[in-house]
Structure formats: structure tokens, C-alpha cells
Amino acid sequence: MADSADTHDLSTLSLDELVACHECDLLMRRPPLADGERAECPRCGYELYSHRHQVIRRSLALVLAALLLYIPANFLPIMQLNLLGQTTEDTIWSGVVGLYESDMQGVAVVVFLCSMAVPLLKLLCQLLVLLSIAWDIGRGYGLLFYRIYHHLRDWGMLEVYLMGILVAIVKLADIADLSLGIGLLCFVGLLLVQVWLEVTMSPHQIWRALSGEDAYARD
Ligand SMILES: [Zn+2]
């Protein structure tokens, strides 16, 4: 827990030694953290930041795993549909193409951006940020890519897409012969790895490592 008992003498501290709670704006002395520890706001309980062990190596492994899953998740069949003797295999990419060809170009572009383009750009930004820290090169570009990543975060909507797929599966199962494909497994895997990556890549540690304040994040 962050120590706020000495709030009266905060004015004597430099900005680097202070931290403000994102939720309730309480100003505190920044507590030093050991591996695996996290700091919480004493007033509202919000997690201020955490210090994860081997954050760069673990995040790199997760980014690479997510990138490996990206191709099969988007281009392998999510489901196979057998209706009146006709069999079709649907992938995320074929869904985008299908929308485009049925005169719904606007929807096709939005689906393409939110389910394919933005998730890939997010992963590539994360990869470049991590590599710039791990190899200690191009920190300026690393900062730029990390800022871009934060702008893109809200536009990758894989979880919304997964909900859509699940609803479609439930609805279609009544009217057609449906079998699930390997693409769905990869898609769920991609989603889980991305969530795990977001939790692992502690922003506080990444920003500090990018600004060259700490060498510890490279461990
Ligand atoms: Zn708070």
C-alpha cells in the first residue's frame, strides 16, 4: 500500500517522487516497489502501478505468441456451415469480403479495421516498443510507438467480435448443420494472449524503461 501518512511535507519532494491516483486524485509519495509488488491508493484502493518480474521478456514472448496466432485466427475457418446441401467455410477475412461484396462497404471497412487491422497494428507497436527496450536502440521511436499503441487500444475490438461469433453460432445452430473450425480456437487463443499481454506489460514500467530511467525493466 502507498504511504500517505506524510502528506503534509509533500511540497518538499520533487515531482519524480510523487504519484497521483488516477481515480480519486490523491497525491502521494511514490513508494519503492520490489519484484511482484503493487502499489494501491490508500483512499480508494485503485492499483497505482505494479512492478512485474522480467516484464520485457515475458511481454515479448506473449507478443510473439499473439502474432503467431494472428494468421490462423483470421484466415482459418471459424465455422463450417452446411445448409440445404451447400457447405461453406467462414473465416474472419471471408466475412469482411462477404460484407464488401454485398454492398455494405462501410460496414466491411469498420469490421476490417476493428477486427483485423487495429489488433495487428497494436501488436506490432508493442513488439517494436519491447524490442527498442530489449536491444536499447531507438528509444525515441519506442516512445512514439507506445503513444500510438495507447491511441489504438480502444479501437481493437476482438472481444466484441467474439461475442458476435458466439451469437451467430447459437442462432445458426438451429437452422443449419454447424461445425466449429480451428480458426475459432486460434481466435480465442489470440484474445486470451492479448489480455494476458495487457496485464503483463505494466505501463508504469514500460514508460520508465523507455525514458531510460530504469535499467531494471530489461531484466
Ligand atoms: Zn485513489
Side-chain angles (χ1 to χ4, degrees):
M1 293 279 278
D3 178 16
S4 68
D6 52 353
T7 42
H8 58 279
D9 61 0
L10 287 181
S11 56
T12 60
L13 299 171
S14 73
L15 274 181
D16 288 348
E17 295 171 276
L18 296 174
V19 60
C21 174
H22 284 267
E23 294 299 305
C24 71
D25 222 18
L26 180 67
L27 195 62
M28 289 156 275
R29 182 198 290 271
R30 181 190 290 277
L33 293 185
D35 262 359
E37 282 188 344
R38 63 199 184 103
E40 283 175 5
C41 171
R43 185 155 71 185
C44 71
Y46 177 80
E47 183 183 311
L48 299 170
Y49 54 88
S50 52
H51 190 119
R52 302 195 201 288
H53 185 53
Q54 296 205 328
V55 67
I56 301 301
R57 279 190 212 172
R58 287 170 59 201
S59 304
L60 264 175
L62 289 167
V63 161
L64 292 176
L67 284 170
L68 285 175
L69 284 168
Y70 181 86
I71 301 283
N74 283 289
F75 296 99
L76 285 185
I78 280 183
M79 61 179 111
Q80 204 177 47
L81 208 61
N82 194 332
L83 183 62
L84 303 172
Q86 274 197 324
T87 304
T88 54
E89 283 191 332
D90 290 305
T91 67
I92 293 183
W93 174 242
S94 75
V96 171
V97 174
L99 281 170
Y100 194 84
E101 287 173 350
S102 12
D103 282 339
M104 287 191 269
Q105 283 87 352
V107 183
V109 169
V110 173
V111 171
F112 172 72
L113 286 177
C114 294
S115 64
M116 295 183 77
V118 172
L120 180 63
L121 286 175
K122 266 171 61 184
L123 288 174
L124 291 177
C125 282
Q126 284 168 307
L127 179 68
L128 292 172
V129 167
L130 292 168
L131 288 180
S132 87
I133 297 171
W135 291 341
D136 204 4
I137 46 167
R139 291 289 174 92
Y141 292 110
L143 282 167
L144 174 70
F145 286 123
Y146 202 43
R147 275 204 298 274
I148 295 175
Y149 161 74
H150 278 283
H151 287 301
L152 289 174
R153 262 176 88 169
D154 300 334
W155 290 97
M157 300 185 190
L158 290 186
E159 54 286 343
V160 178
Y161 202 97
L162 182 65
M163 285 305 292
I165 293 173
L166 294 178
V167 170
I169 288 171
V170 171
K171 294 274 182 195
L172 288 170
D174 292 338
I175 56 166
D177 208 7
L178 193 80
S179 54
L180 302 181
I182 188 85
L184 183 63
L185 201 66
C186 296
F187 191 85
V188 173
L190 174 62
L191 191 63
L192 292 178
V193 171
Q194 274 209 339
V195 172
W196 192 0
L197 177 63
E198 298 233 345
V199 173
T200 304
M201 239 175 118
S202 156
H204 156 80
Q205 273 173 286
I206 301 295
W207 282 123
R208 292 194 73 168
L210 279 173
S211 61
E213 283 178 46
D214 287 307
Y216 68 78
R218 263 179 280 148
D219 293 346

